[in-house]
Amino acid sequence: MTTHWKGVAFVQFVKDKHMSKLDSLLPKEILAGLSTDFIKHIHYFKAIDSTNEFAKQLAKKGAVEGSVVIAETQEKGRGRLGRAWLSPFGGVWLSLLLRPKITLKEAVTLTLMASVVTAKTFRKLYKLNAKIKWPNDILINERKVCGILTESGADNNVVSWAVVGIGINANINLEEFPSAIQKSATSLKEELKKPVSRIKLIRNLLKQFEKDYKIFLIDKNRILEVWRKFSDTLGREVKIVAANEVVVGKAMDIDNFGALIIKVNGTKKVITGDCIHLSKIKSFDK
Ligand code: BTN
C-alpha cells in the first residue's frame, strides 16, 4: 500500500476542503473490505498527472500484476485517440497493471473485458441498464458514464504489460463538464439522483475484474459473449471515424479480436476509431 502526497499547501487546502464532502479513497479504506487474491497493491494519489502514466512507469520498473493506481483527480487524464480526459474530484480514476500472456493483437479484447466488468458492476450494484458502445464506452440511457483506455508494451508481439485505465463519472455534477459534452455525458450521481459510495464501487469493481480476468485468461470467448449481450452498438447503423477512413454501415458483430464487423457492400472490419450510433432502432436481420 502506497500513499503519495503532492502539491503546495494552498492547493492542498482547496482540495482538502472539496474532499471533506466526499468519501476518501485511501487504500486502507478500500483494502478493509476487499477480498481479491492478487488485485490488491494500491498506490493512492490525491492528485496526479495520469494514473495510466504512473502505472506504465510501475510496469517498466517490474511492479507486480494486480498493482492499482488510484487518484482523486488527474491533471492530464488521457482518453482514447489522443484526447484529454476530464477528471475532477468525485470521480473514480484508476489504472490496473496486468501481465497477461497474450499477443498484442489479443490485447484489444482486454479492453472489451474491462467494459464488461464495469457494465456488470453498475448493473449489479445500482440496477442501472448499463450498455457498451463499441469498443468500450459505458453508456446509461445512451450517455457516457465511463471510458476505458488500455495501453500495453510487448516483447516479440507478446504482451509484457498492460495498463487498463478506467474513468468513471461517479459523484460528478454535469455542470462540471464543458457544455459541449453535457448532453452526451452522464454520471452515476446524476442517474441515481444521489451520490454513490466510491469505496464500495471500487471494491466491487476490483473483485469483478479479478473474477472475469481469470475467466478471460482461460476462455476469452465467454467474456466476448457477455460483451455482445451488453452491446448497444450491434444491430445499429453506425458511422466509424478512423484515422484514414470513415465507414458507414450496419454493425453486425465483433470478431475474436474485438474488431467491429460492419455490413457495407459486403462486410468490413474496423479495429479502432470513433463510433457514432446513427439509428435509434436495432435490427438483427442479415
Ligand atoms: C476514453 O476516451 O473513453 C477513455 C478514458 C479513460 C480515462 C481513464 S481515467 C483513469 C485512467 N488514467 C488516464 O489518464 N486515463 C484513464
Side-chain angles (χ1 to χ4, degrees):
M1 170 171 99
T2 317
T3 304
H4 304 260
W5 302 104
K6 202 178 169 202
V8 293
F10 177 70
V11 175
Q12 198 58 60
F13 168 74
V14 174
K15 286 172 184 164
D16 286 346
K17 206 164 162 244
H18 190 107
M19 279 174 62
S20 62
K21 288 186 231 138
L22 300 167
D23 52 346
S24 116
L25 300 180
L26 285 170
K28 67 173 193 301
E29 308 267 350
I30 297 170
L31 290 169
L34 186 67
S35 56
T36 44
D37 297 335
F38 69 95
I39 300 185
K40 58 184 181 189
H41 308 278
I42 300 181
H43 298 256
Y44 169 81
F45 293 85
K46 279 192 175 177
I48 197 172
D49 49 358
S50 152
T51 56
N52 261 35
E53 184 53 38
F54 191 83
K56 269 173 82 171
Q57 300 310 324
L58 284 181
K60 289 175 186 168
K61 285 184 205 148
V64 288
E65 178 167 66
S67 300
V68 185
V69 184
I70 297 180
E72 302 282 0
T73 181
Q74 298 184 114
E75 284 142 9
K76 283 191 186 152
R78 292 209 284 256
R80 286 180 68 234
L81 310 169
R83 298 191 180 118
W85 179 262
L86 271 184
S87 317
F89 288 97
V92 168
W93 323 119
L94 64 81
S95 302
L96 285 119
L97 168 60
L98 303 169
R99 298 191 184 273
K101 290 188 178 48
I102 58 174
T103 61
L104 252 191
K105 193 175 175 195
E106 288 173 309
V108 177
T109 55
L110 200 59
T111 314
L112 300 197
M113 184 210 77
S115 62
V116 165
V117 167
T118 314
K120 251 190 212 173
T121 305
F122 294 165
R123 285 171 179 232
K124 283 188 185 170
L125 272 182
Y126 312 121
K127 308 276 173 279
L128 287 168
N129 190 16
K131 296 196 176 162
I132 305 171
K133 179 158 80 89
W134 182 87
N136 48 27
D137 286 350
I138 310 299
L139 309 181
I140 298 172
N141 296 322
E142 299 185 19
R143 292 159 85 183
K144 181 163 170 173
V145 69
C146 166
I148 296 164
L149 173 70
T150 300
E151 300 178 76
S152 50
D155 284 328
N156 291 326
N157 251 353
V158 175
V159 169
S160 51
W161 58 266
V163 167
V164 179
I166 304 179
I168 303 172
N169 302 332
N171 295 330
I172 295 188
N173 300 319
L174 284 190
E175 309 84 75
E176 292 180 61
F177 289 126
S179 50
I181 61 166
Q182 278 183 17
K183 277 209 173 86
S184 59
T186 190
S187 70
L188 294 174
K189 182 179 173 189
E190 181 76 21
E191 295 298 321
L192 297 166
K193 307 290 174 230
K194 60 177 187 199
V196 297
S197 156
R198 294 181 306 155
I199 296 275
K200 191 171 165 197
L201 170 57
I202 292 171
R203 278 193 207 128
N204 279 270
L205 186 75
L206 297 181
K207 184 79 190 156
Q208 189 68 53
F209 201 106
E210 192 172 276
K211 193 171 166 197
D212 284 345
Y213 180 57
K214 285 177 182 170
I215 297 172
F216 171 86
L217 292 178
I218 299 166
D219 179 7
K220 71 173 164 32
N221 287 322
R222 276 176 62 193
I223 300 294
L224 296 185
E225 263 317 298
V226 185
W227 189 96
R228 290 183 178 95
K229 205 174 103 196
F230 289 175
S231 166
D232 201 27
T233 298
L234 300 183
R236 281 189 205 262
E237 292 294 323
V238 295
K239 178 170 163 183
I240 308 296
V241 183
N244 301 319
E245 61 177 349
V246 174
V247 183
V248 177
K250 186 165 164 188
M252 304 301 288
D253 200 358
I254 46 167
D255 73 6
N256 287 348
F257 298 99
L260 189 64
I261 302 169
I262 303 173
K263 188 175 165 192
V264 274
N265 300 322
T267 58
K268 191 167 174 67
K269 282 186 185 182
V270 281
I271 299 164
T272 185
D274 241 344
C275 173
I276 299 151
H277 289 167
L278 296 177
S279 62
K280 281 252 170 243
I281 296 162
K282 294 186 192 175
S283 79
F284 291 94
D285 50 316
K286 306 245 164 174

